[in-house]
Amino acid sequence: MSPDQIAVLGAGNMGTALAQVIASNGHHVRAWSIETDVLEEMRDHRGNTRYLAGVALHPGIEPVWDCAAAVAGAALVIVSVPSQVVGPLARDISPLIKRGQVVLNVAKGLEAGTHLRLSQVLERELGKAFGKRAGSMGGPAIAIEMARGVPMAVIIGLADRDCSLRVQRILQNEHLKVETTADVCGVELCATLKNVYAMALGVCDGLGYGTNTKAFLATLALAEMREISLALGGERDTVYGLAGVGDLLTTGYSEHSRNRTLGEKLGSGGDWRHFLRNNTVEGVGACRAVKELIAGKGLRAHLLETLYEVLFAERPAPEALRHFFREFSYG
Ligand SMILES: NC(=O)c1ccc[n+]([C@@H]2O[C@H](COP(=O)([O-])OP(=O)(O)OC[C@H]3O[C@@H](n4cnc5c(N)ncnc54)[C@H](O)[C@@H]3O)[C@@H](O)[C@H]2O)c1
């Protein structure tokens, strides 16, 4: 296999983990970040302690200070920034991206205000030619576990078959299985929704409920994910695959998940706003965006709406969850 040139834009948790995987697969990775101190540490100490402590970076990862230099000649451009940054970053790189390149978003959320899925945001900024060449990664992928090379699997939602096979060839190895699907909509909706429901599962942890309650709530969450996703154009198989149930389980149960941790703080009365200010927690914005999106379509999602009231209407989480169980789950 001949090595490819890959650009990773954003050297946070996921960007650095993906760079590590791709470089260890024999490709040359140019990693760009706005955080110059992160790039300096990558260059001088072959590490990224802010985002991926304890991982010795592969020599095939080259930190670059100039975004244009990262993108130039890359077979694959990975966008690994918070969802609200995908639009502005795509606008910035739009003059640099060439038709032959594939763009893969790994952020999980919707654009605030427009409620667009992130491949739609990429298409809007990069042009119609990228309607089929821009996609998203979904599935259970906690960055630190990925960087450690434990067996795991992700799913790539990309409309163009050749492009998704290219991404699969670049990412897949003996530890990481890469599935592909043309259901970009379903992958992106599941990626958005699972963060919301992972917060609800975290509330269970914070309230000290046991595994019975959590499994009950996860089952209800999956049913809501299915209803919302199908109503908005996703496919059933995607919900019951890696992007849906797979990612819901890992995000709702992992100690590394920031969405679950924020929910735990909601449940236990911890300072969740402080945690939100200092961490990328996509579920909060996703909850608002999905609530607005489904309201406009006349859909109801009682668990998601309950969480919305806790996050945005100061409703205490213990009372809200008890009310949800009483009113909506025994109907
Ligand atoms: N961490 C994970 O395990 C994981 C797994 C799968 C998907 N994701 C998704 O990937 C996305 C990024 O998550 P993360 O965990 O890597 O976040 P992170 O906070 O660790 O990293 C975010 C990166 O975005 C960069 N960034 C922030 N604002 C920017 C701006 N205005 N312009 C340019 N760059 C900017 C930061 O410098 C950093 O490199 C999220 O949507 C998340 O849901 C994360």
Side-chain angles (χ1 to χ4, degrees):
M1 181 190 71
S2 62
D4 278 311
Q5 184 72 49
I6 311 298
V8 175
L9 308 182
N13 279 263
M14 201 55 199
T16 310
L18 282 167
Q20 186 75 354
V21 169
I22 295 169
S24 57
N25 286 355
H27 303 288
H28 181 238
V29 181
R30 292 201 189 113
W32 170 84
S33 170
I34 46 162
E35 295 171 289
T36 53
D37 54 335
V38 167
L39 295 175
E40 280 158 17
E41 192 199 0
M42 289 171 87
R43 178 192 61 197
D44 299 338
H45 304 288
R46 305 308 302 163
N48 183 350
T49 44
R50 182 170 308 155
Y51 291 110
L52 214 58
V55 175
L57 295 185
H58 192 281
I61 302 173
E62 179 193 356
V64 293
W65 279 250
D66 178 10
C67 190
V71 170
L76 172 64
V77 177
I78 296 178
V79 176
S80 186
V81 293
S83 13
Q84 299 321 316
V85 180
V86 171
L89 181 60
R91 204 166 309 141
D92 288 349
I93 63 171
S94 157
L96 311 168
I97 297 281
K98 302 282 179 276
R99 284 182 85 91
Q101 293 178 308
V102 177
V103 181
L104 182 72
N105 157 66
V106 300
K108 295 181 171 176
L110 300 176
E111 186 177 65
T114 66
H115 309 138
L116 286 176
R117 291 182 286 102
L118 296 176
S119 63
Q120 295 175 314
V121 171
L122 289 173
E123 183 182 348
R124 181 190 69 205
E125 300 300 337
L126 301 177
K128 276 262 174 269
F130 282 88
K132 292 191 164 181
R133 302 184 69 84
S136 289
M137 186 181 87
I142 296 284
I144 188 68
E145 296 180 14
M146 178 185 272
R148 287 188 186 134
V150 297
M152 58 176 284
V154 294
I155 182 161
I156 302 300
L158 244 166
D160 184 284
R161 180 90 184 122
D162 287 342
C163 292
S164 59
L165 291 178
R166 184 194 292 186
V167 175
Q168 183 185 52
R169 186 176 54 76
I170 289 166
L171 279 180
Q172 187 158 268
N173 60 32
E174 59 175 320
H175 311 295
L176 176 64
K177 179 175 162 52
V178 178
E179 288 188 2
T180 61
T181 176
D183 181 21
V184 187
C185 173
V187 167
E188 293 181 329
L189 289 172
C190 284
T192 302
L193 290 165
K194 63 90 193 184
N195 281 335
V196 179
Y197 293 108
M199 290 191 297
L201 294 173
V203 173
C204 278
D205 295 336
L207 289 169
Y209 292 163
T211 49
N212 292 347
T213 316
K214 239 180 128 168
F216 182 23
L217 202 69
T219 309
L220 297 171
L222 189 64
E224 273 196 18
M225 279 176 65
R226 182 194 60 217
E227 294 311 304
I228 297 171
S229 191
L230 296 191
L232 298 179
E235 292 172 13
R236 192 183 177 85
D237 282 356
T238 306
V239 179
Y240 288 107
L242 288 169
V245 67
D247 209 357
L248 176 66
L249 289 179
T250 204
T251 313
Y253 284 79
S254 169
E255 61 181 280
H256 298 296
S257 161
R258 290 165 294 195
N259 290 284
R260 191 208 62 78
T261 303
L262 186 132
E264 186 173 358
K265 290 185 187 299
L266 282 171
S268 65
D271 191 349
W272 64 275
R273 287 192 177 83
H274 178 262
F275 185 76
L276 182 60
R277 274 193 299 278
N278 292 295
N279 292 279
T280 302
V281 187
E282 298 276 28
V284 176
C287 185
R288 184 193 287 277
V290 175
K291 164 85 165 44
E292 293 168 354
L293 185 60
I294 63 174
K297 296 187 184 297
L299 284 171
R300 297 300 307 270
H302 295 296
L303 180 53
L304 185 138
E305 289 169 26
T306 300
L307 205 63
Y308 178 89
E309 288 176 11
V310 171
L311 290 166
F312 299 108
E314 311 264 333
R315 189 173 179 192
E319 179 274 318
L321 206 59
R322 272 197 301 273
H323 181 263
F324 168 78
F325 280 127
R326 223 175 26 246
E327 295 293 317
F328 299 116
S329 49
Y330 300 103

